[in-house]
Amino acid sequence: METSHARPPFIKREQAVYRTSYSGEAKSPRLESLPLPTKSLVSAASGPDPLIDERALQGNMFIFLLAGHETTASTLQFAILCLASNPLYQRRLQSSLDVLLEGKHPSAWSLQHDFPRLFRGYPGAVVRETIRLFTVLPFYLRWTGNAPRPLVLQGKTYMVPSDTLVLVNISAAHRNPKYWPRPKIVEDPDGEEMPYALSEYDPGRWINPQTGEVDEAMAVKAAGAYIPFSRGSRECMGRRFAEIELIAMLSMLFLGRSVELNTVGQPGADERTRWENARKKAAKMLSRGIGFGVALKMMDEVPIRIVRRGTEKHGP
């Protein structure tokens, strides 16, 4: 039995707009205002000889929406939690924003002028370190195709058979202590010692002390040690878009606000002790409370509070 796949209303509207233009009538302002990827998809599925069918159109539109928002939202969540758990790094980020944005109102920020400076500075280091430890896709799949493929490991070449699916563990590469030194070991409240992600979080590892700017050549010790967006011909086409989104959202939030761990309900006789217990819980959740659905994401809650800068309860 065949299943009916009704076209979503927005696809019907965009295709109608395209057909109007395709028929030789005046071009529709709505079609011209569409983002280029959307316009290309709608064009490919319309006209007298469509290049893709409507189900393929729906699938591609879904991927655009999902990859452009779900993944970035998860990464932003991890960045906020890591900064709330590390007030010192959060203050460094805020100080960097003060200097790099020169007191300008967000409406005056420029992609051409401000984004490159922010991405080369401490905000860019925060983005890179967050993505390193919490890569949206913790593994990639590759297929050898219909012929054996060479694989070089530690100077030796191995032949991977044809029709073989290869899983590349990106999270393991991003946490390999050979290339990413671990600053310390956090003691688990239950007595177990393990390297939590929070204890490895250090945006400063990306900053060249000589220049004060991000230096990927210095931080990334070997090819393949940092590949959150894959590489080569299959590198994520949305990489720059995601980086711009993250820089913009972190700048908007932390320029005038601070994020703190919520200590309400935490054990302790004083506020400092309650904060330390909240941080221990956050450390555990950022290690054990993470799962993978569409992307890497938090499965358990870590309560936080957003306050105006200068009204924080907890300093570095």
Side-chain angles (χ1 to χ4, degrees):
M1 182 177 67
E2 293 187 358
T3 303
S4 174
H5 295 273
R7 285 177 293 172
F10 80 93
I11 290 182
K12 292 180 180 178
R13 288 196 300 269
E14 306 306 353
Q15 285 186 310
V17 166
Y18 181 78
R19 289 188 181 111
T20 299
S21 297
Y22 193 90
S23 65
E25 300 177 24
K27 284 192 174 181
S28 166
R30 182 175 177 83
L31 176 65
E32 294 304 308
S33 68
L34 288 175
L36 182 59
T38 308
K39 188 190 302 183
S40 299
L41 282 172
V42 173
S43 300
S46 305
D49 188 20
L51 300 177
I52 61 175
D53 61 28
E54 291 178 357
R55 291 184 62 184
L57 173 63
Q58 293 177 35
N60 277 275
M61 292 298 296
F62 174 77
I63 288 296
F64 277 3
L65 292 171
L66 181 69
H69 297 86
E70 175 78 10
T71 52
T72 307
S74 293
T75 302
L76 181 64
Q77 181 186 36
F78 287 124
I80 289 172
L81 292 178
C82 288
L83 292 169
S85 302
N86 289 288
L88 176 61
Y89 298 155
Q90 186 173 163
R91 301 296 181 270
R92 288 176 180 172
L93 170 64
Q94 291 169 324
S95 297
S96 177
L97 291 172
D98 291 339
V99 172
L100 294 172
L101 291 172
E102 303 170 326
K104 292 186 294 186
H105 189 272
S107 62
W109 295 354
S110 164
L111 176 63
Q112 290 73 26
H113 178 263
D114 295 303
F115 172 74
R117 300 176 66 211
L118 291 166
F119 200 57
R120 289 196 306 266
Y122 201 83
V126 169
V127 169
R128 289 172 173 87
E129 184 70 351
T130 303
I131 293 175
R132 178 182 76 86
L133 287 171
F134 303 99
T135 308
V136 171
L137 296 178
F139 53 84
Y140 298 143
L141 297 177
R142 293 292 182 264
W143 180 55
T144 57
N146 56 10
R149 302 282 181 173
L151 176 65
V152 179
L153 291 175
Q154 298 181 340
K156 295 183 179 180
T157 300
Y158 302 87
M159 296 304 297
V160 182
S162 60
D163 296 320
T164 299
L165 191 65
V166 179
L167 188 148
V168 183
N169 192 330
I170 306 302
S171 290
H174 287 183
R175 299 187 186 207
N176 188 335
K178 180 179 179 180
Y179 306 113
W180 305 101
R182 293 170 176 166
K184 59 184 177 180
I185 301 295
V186 173
E187 183 177 351
D188 185 283
D190 298 328
E192 177 189 6
E193 291 189 356
M194 60 184 299
Y196 285 137
L198 194 56
S199 70
E200 293 189 38
Y201 189 81
D202 180 14
R205 74 169 75 239
W206 295 90
I207 301 294
N208 187 324
Q210 303 299 321
T211 64
E213 295 186 340
V214 167
D215 187 343
E216 285 200 9
M218 176 200 72
V220 182
K221 302 297 191 298
Y226 180 71
I227 46 175
F229 296 95
S230 189
R231 59 188 303 179
S233 61
R234 291 185 176 273
E235 183 177 62
C236 175
M237 63 181 293
R239 174 175 185 167
R240 182 59 65 181
F241 178 58
E243 292 168 344
I244 292 171
E245 278 188 308
L246 288 167
I247 288 291
M249 288 187 286
L250 288 173
S251 299
M252 284 290 294
L253 175 60
F254 287 99
L255 187 62
R257 300 287 189 273
S258 294
V259 180
E260 297 185 312
L261 296 174
N262 193 337
T263 59
V264 175
Q266 293 296 325
D270 55 76
E271 183 63 19
R272 185 62 190 180
T273 303
R274 288 191 288 271
W275 184 86
E276 290 174 351
N277 286 325
R279 190 182 189 280
K280 287 181 180 179
K281 179 181 178 181
K284 182 181 288 187
M285 292 301 99
L286 284 167
S287 177
R288 300 178 184 175
I290 294 176
F292 182 77
V294 174
L296 199 70
K297 61 181 180 179
M298 293 292 298
M299 306 301 290
D300 294 305
E301 294 183 355
V302 178
I304 60 172
R305 56 194 296 266
I306 300 175
V307 301
R308 291 185 179 275
R309 283 180 66 179
T311 65
E312 302 89 352
K313 286 185 178 182
H314 311 287

